[in-house]
């Protein structure tokens, strides 16, 4: 298993290098970050030339990429060069945004995976039952709705729920506009109350879309396994239904879902951009939008590098889970 993991790690390194170079070329050729400076009063060609030299824009793209990669690997991610904005270091800006978004994405994905797999297994075992029809209808409804529509609906229900609490003389519980100010201080019960109220709505909005995908994939995979020959043989030997499902079928049915989980991470990050906008969270989505709008290459490259690394990391995790669920994969 260790050799299998090392092989996957060695494959991931050139993928990251090629991906980072492609992203750098696209960002470098997308425009000139000093274009706005040209139209400012009092700016001369000498000033523009000095700014290009200071930012390294006078060098070829490959040399600029090599310098960026060396600095990036040494921990120097550079500073924001957005005109009219404070010079912000890229590393703390990206890590702070990642921490904000990560708390939403990880909670939403774990919740969606748990509920989706459970509902998918139960729907497959009780095929064509009322529960199966309800689960299928809910999944198709979530598939057909854009993430911004789901986020707005969840937010509106949260506001209405807060209004009901307020009409009863209670404090508003659910936070609908950004993280709760002041953090999570107080007793253990108060911290849990504030934490759940802050993260519940955006987490549910992100979770619903992923839940639909996981439940449908798990149901289809489980049905295929339940009708396979080795399951029929296990039943013919007199093995109980629960043991057939959880000991033989469930483990094999998880393999396609583990693939979806790793590939879905990028989609969840893109969905988080919209969800953060609706709920007023300053995370990776807000950072990306601001970097593109202001055309800030250092900040944009920091965002792309971290996102690409996370996607490759989750694909590596999926490969490891493959090897655990099916030893034939790691021995192949």
């Amino acid at each position: 298993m260790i050799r299998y993991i090392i092989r996957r790690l060695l494959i991931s390194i050139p993928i990251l290098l090629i991906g980072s170079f492609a992203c750098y070329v696209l960002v470098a050729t997308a425009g000139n970050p000093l274009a706005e400076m040209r139209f400012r009063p009092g700016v001369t060609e000498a000033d523009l030339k000095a700014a290009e030299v200071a930012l390294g824009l006078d060098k070829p793209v490959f040399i600029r990429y090599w310098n960026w990669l060396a600095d990036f690997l040494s921990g120097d991610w550079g500073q924001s060069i957005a005109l009219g904005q404070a010079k912000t270091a890229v590393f703390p800006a990206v890590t702070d945004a990642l921490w904000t978004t990560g708390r939403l994405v990880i909670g939403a994905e774990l919740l969606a995976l748990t509920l989706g797999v459970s509902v998918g297994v139960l729907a497959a075992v009780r095929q064509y039952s009322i529960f199966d029809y309800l689960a299928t209808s809910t999944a198709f409804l979530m598939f057909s709705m854009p993430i911004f529509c789901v986020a707005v609906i969840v937010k509106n229900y949260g506001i209405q729920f807060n209004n009901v609490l307020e009409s009863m003389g209670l404090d508003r519980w659910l936070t609908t506009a950004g993280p709760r100010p002041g953090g999570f201080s107080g007793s253990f019960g108060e911290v849990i109350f504030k934490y759940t109220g802050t993260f519940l709505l955006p987490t549910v909005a992100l979770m619903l879309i992923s839940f639909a995908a996981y439940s449908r994939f798990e149901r289809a995979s489980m049905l295929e396994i339940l009708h396979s020959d080795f399951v029929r043989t296990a039943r013919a030997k007199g093995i109980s239904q629960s043991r057939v499902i959880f000991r033989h079928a469930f483990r094999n049915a998880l393999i396609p879902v583990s693939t979806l989980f790793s590939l879905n991470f990028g989609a969840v990050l893109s969905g988080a951009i919209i969800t953060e906008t609706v709920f007023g969270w300053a995370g990776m989505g807000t950072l990306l939008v601001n970097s593109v709008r202001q055309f800030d290459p250092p900040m944009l490259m920091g965002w792309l590098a971290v996102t690409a690394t996370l996607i490759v990391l989750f694909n590596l995790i999926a490969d490891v889970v493959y090897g655990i669920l099916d030893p034939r994969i790691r021995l192949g």
Side-chain angles (χ1 to χ4, degrees):
M1 189 67 186
I2 300 233
R3 284 184 296 177
Y4 173 74
I5 295 175
I6 292 174
R7 287 202 309 268
R8 305 311 299 177
L9 277 172
L10 294 177
I11 293 174
S12 300
I13 292 174
I15 291 176
L16 282 174
L17 290 175
I18 295 172
S20 64
F21 178 72
C23 289
Y24 192 92
V25 171
L26 290 174
V27 171
T29 56
N32 184 3
L34 301 178
E36 184 182 342
M37 183 179 177
R38 185 180 298 274
F39 300 100
R40 291 188 171 187
V43 176
T44 63
E45 289 296 329
D47 295 332
L48 289 172
K49 186 65 178 178
E52 288 182 358
V53 173
L55 296 175
L57 299 178
D58 58 326
K59 297 181 176 63
V61 173
F62 185 80
I63 295 177
R64 287 155 57 189
Y65 167 74
W66 180 259
N67 293 336
W68 172 84
L69 181 63
D71 292 338
F72 184 86
L73 294 178
S74 65
D76 180 12
W77 293 16
Q79 287 188 330
S80 168
I81 62 172
L83 296 177
Q85 303 292 329
K87 298 303 179 183
T88 305
V90 173
F91 181 79
V94 173
T95 52
D96 290 345
L98 181 63
W99 170 244
T100 300
T101 301
R103 289 180 291 178
L104 294 179
V105 170
I106 293 175
E109 280 297 278
L110 291 178
L111 189 60
L113 185 64
T114 303
L115 292 178
V117 169
S118 301
V119 170
V121 170
L122 192 56
V125 173
R126 299 184 179 180
Q127 188 180 16
Y128 303 131
S129 64
I130 295 178
F131 179 84
D132 185 22
Y133 286 124
L134 287 175
T136 302
S137 301
T138 302
F140 281 132
L141 178 63
M142 291 297 102
F143 271 131
S144 63
M145 294 178 65
I147 181 62
F148 73 88
C149 185
V150 175
V152 169
I153 292 174
V154 170
K155 181 176 181 177
N156 287 336
Y157 274 114
I159 293 173
Q160 294 177 16
F161 182 77
N162 281 338
N163 292 337
V164 171
L165 292 179
E166 201 169 41
S167 66
M168 298 170 60
L170 301 174
D171 294 332
R172 300 176 74 86
W173 175 41
L174 300 174
T175 304
T176 57
R180 180 183 292 269
F184 307 108
S185 58
S187 63
F188 179 76
E190 292 174 341
V191 170
I192 296 297
F193 179 81
K194 294 177 181 178
Y195 191 90
T196 53
T198 299
F199 287 93
L200 183 60
L201 293 182
T203 299
V204 168
L206 282 174
M207 179 272 294
L208 288 175
I209 303 298
S210 297
F211 161 78
Y214 293 144
S215 63
R216 294 304 300 161
F217 266 78
E218 182 63 23
R219 179 185 181 274
S221 179
M222 195 71 179
L223 284 175
E224 182 180 356
I225 297 298
L226 289 175
H227 291 89
S228 60
D229 292 337
F230 77 91
V231 171
R232 293 194 188 97
T233 303
R235 285 171 174 166
K237 290 181 178 180
I239 299 177
S240 64
Q241 177 73 352
S242 60
R243 188 174 181 184
V244 168
I245 293 173
F246 293 104
R247 182 72 179 273
H248 297 277
F250 179 66
R251 179 172 179 172
N252 291 279
L254 280 178
I255 295 179
V257 179
S258 63
T259 306
L260 179 64
F261 179 79
S262 62
L263 297 178
N264 193 53
F265 184 77
V268 173
L269 275 181
S270 62
I273 296 173
I274 301 172
T275 304
E276 288 176 3
T277 303
V278 172
F279 288 97
W281 283 71
M284 293 289 281
T286 304
L287 185 69
L288 174 64
V289 172
N290 292 337
S291 300
V292 173
R293 185 176 65 246
Q294 300 166 358
F295 193 65
D296 189 356
M299 194 70 72
L300 192 54
M301 278 306 303
W303 189 95
L304 290 170
V306 170
T307 304
T309 302
L310 289 175
I311 292 176
V312 171
L313 176 62
F314 273 84
N315 277 272
L316 176 63
I317 293 173
D319 290 338
V320 174
V321 173
Y322 275 179
I324 295 174
L325 295 176
D326 190 349
R328 294 173 300 177
I329 296 176
R330 66 174 183 262
L331 294 176

